[in-house]
Amino acid sequence: MEKIIDDNKQGNTLTTAPRLGNNKKLLIESYGCQMNFSDSEIVASILAKEGYNTTQELEEADLVLINTCSIREKAEQTVRKRLEKYNAVKRSNPKMKVGVLGCMAERLKSKFLEEEKIVDLVVGPDAYKDLPNLLSEVESGREAINVILSKDETYGDISPVRLQSNGVSAFVSITRGCDNMCTFCVVPFTRGRERSRDPQSIIQEVNDLAAKGYKEITLLGQNVDSYLWYGGGLKKDFKHATEMQKATAINFAGLLDMVAKAQPKMRIRFSTSNPQDMTLDVIQVMSKHRNICKYIHLPVQSGSNRILKAMNRQHTREEYFELIDNIRRIIPECAISQDMITGFPTETEEDHQDTLSLMEYVKYDFGFMFAYSERPGTMAARKLQDDVPQEVKKRRLMEIVDLQQQHSHYRTRQFLNQTVEVLIEKESKKSDAHWSGRTSQNTVAVFPKEHYKVGDFVNVRIDDCTSATLLGEAVGYSQNN
Ligand code: SAH
Ligand code: F3S
């Protein structure tokens, strides 16, 4: 997903408007990618029908669910610490039940129940509809587990309960799973094979959000550009589809066009794009619609062809540059961001220099950078030795983080003395007299509140900036308002 929430940060607990008649209390805490946050909204919706309202108070919860991330070892350690905390509370409130959801549930399966005995319930990412059954097992004193991965579950028929929402932006998931098998990545194992959601249910959810006053949606998937709807089923089975299904299939460019047309006043974002699957059609659809934000999160992971190959990324550095050139030619104002991994097995100083020079070429607007963390079961863990010393990984990481900061600042400076459209999302963290919102390019902009309010589209003249934030003054409503 676009942004991996910092592994060190506390997870977010989510609350929602109480449903009348519900008398049980659910605390749901989410870690990891945006997909997990979106999944928690589906879980809250399923459990609202089972009598649960959400709470943020651990002490009063009847059920505590933790939606977990396995992407790096540190993410898993954070979750383990939280489970210890829940168990300490549970000792004084034995009625409280604890469940693990998401990628760690899928990866560790019954290990949580059998060896560690720290949870009552283990539910993988495709099994949330089974929660009511699993909970009745738990209530009758048994442990419950469902980690079956599905061929076609997309939760397209569930209307998510919007949790911790500012009422302005919402996530809409469009694909689940991933077929790419990057050698470092645990996601294909924890989230299963790729499948796409029915476009009609996507449009319906977007229309519902618009009717509720939402102004911006982000279409979510591990690899949105490989979206392909042909009537259901796994992406890899498309070759067996009927001629009719093949002729009427809808790809990501088609979906994006449909969504942009359905709600021309809504901002449309999407995440994440895999370079190998991003086509010219998608870039052209982006340039055609004013309401599709001019921002692409385009993880590359490394600038070295040798490492890209070892990672099983399906493109070269040169092909990546070609894609970047096409984006810049068709949408000159487009912002681009990266994910990068330092210290993948066998990475040499020369490979690292290739990463730095690739960054120099692109000058990304933002970046999310990580030291390689070996994940059990992945191809890299099975075939390659984690041989780059920790301090070398860290030093290389610092070098790319520093370079990214320079590039981010270079990008924010381009906005100086310009007037940009900002969608107001919330109060600035640093000042209650200022609003904070984002430009189409996803850059944060902060400006005095005046008479404007959350959800307004405002033109802001930019007169100062840091590497991460634009500072300015509103000059009026934008035409989108
Ligand atoms: N396609 C997904 C990727 C999810 S993982 C998406 O939607 O973004 C997000 C990022 O975590 C990856 O792009 C990669 O940079 C990083 N990552 C994944 N596995 C990792 C590992 N084993 N060690 C370090 N970083 C990793
Ligand atoms: Fe992971 Fe690569 Fe898919 S990073 S989520 S296997 S595109």
Side-chain angles (χ1 to χ4, degrees), residues 178 180-182 184-185 187-188 222 274 301 313:
C178 185
N180 279 326
M181 290 290 174
C182 301
F184 53 81
C185 184
V187 171
Q222 300 300 334
N274 189 310
Q301 319 297 358
R313 303 287 289 184

Side-chain angles (χ1 to χ4, degrees), residues 358-375:
L358 177 138
M359 290 175 69
E360 219 36 279
Y361 184 91
V362 184
K363 293 198 170 53
Y364 292 99
D365 294 71
F366 326 98
F368 306 93
M369 293 148 283
F370 315 97
Y372 173 69
S373 163
E374 186 178 89
R375 305 315 294 132

Side-chain angles (χ1 to χ4, degrees), residues 166 168 215 422-427 435-437 447-458 474 477 481:
N166 55 5
V168 176
K215 302 292 170 67
V422 175
L423 171 59
I424 303 178
E425 288 167 27
K426 56 188 176 204
E427 195 166 87
W435 289 129
S436 169
F447 56 95
K449 282 184 174 173
E450 298 179 67
H451 55 284
Y452 300 105
K453 57 184 194 311
V454 168
D456 285 346
F457 286 98
V458 177
Y477 291 106
N481 222 48

Side-chain angles (χ1 to χ4, degrees), residues 13-15 23-29 47 51-66 82 85-99 120 135 138-139:
T13 52
L14 305 167
T15 47
N23 54 13
K24 289 183 274 188
K25 294 235 168 13
L26 161 71
L27 182 134
I28 181 160
E29 199 169 60
L47 292 183
Y52 286 92
N53 282 333
T54 50
T55 176
Q56 288 188 303
E57 300 301 322
L58 185 54
E59 280 69 19
E60 67 169 29
D62 301 295
L63 175 63
V64 179
L65 296 176
I66 180 160
R82 290 304 288 162
K85 164 88 182 159
Y86 299 158
N87 273 279
V89 176
K90 204 176 158 173
R91 277 192 284 277
S92 56
N93 176 15
K95 267 195 12 249
M96 185 178 110
K97 303 293 178 204
V98 177
D120 306 288
L135 279 171
V138 169
E139 265 148 36

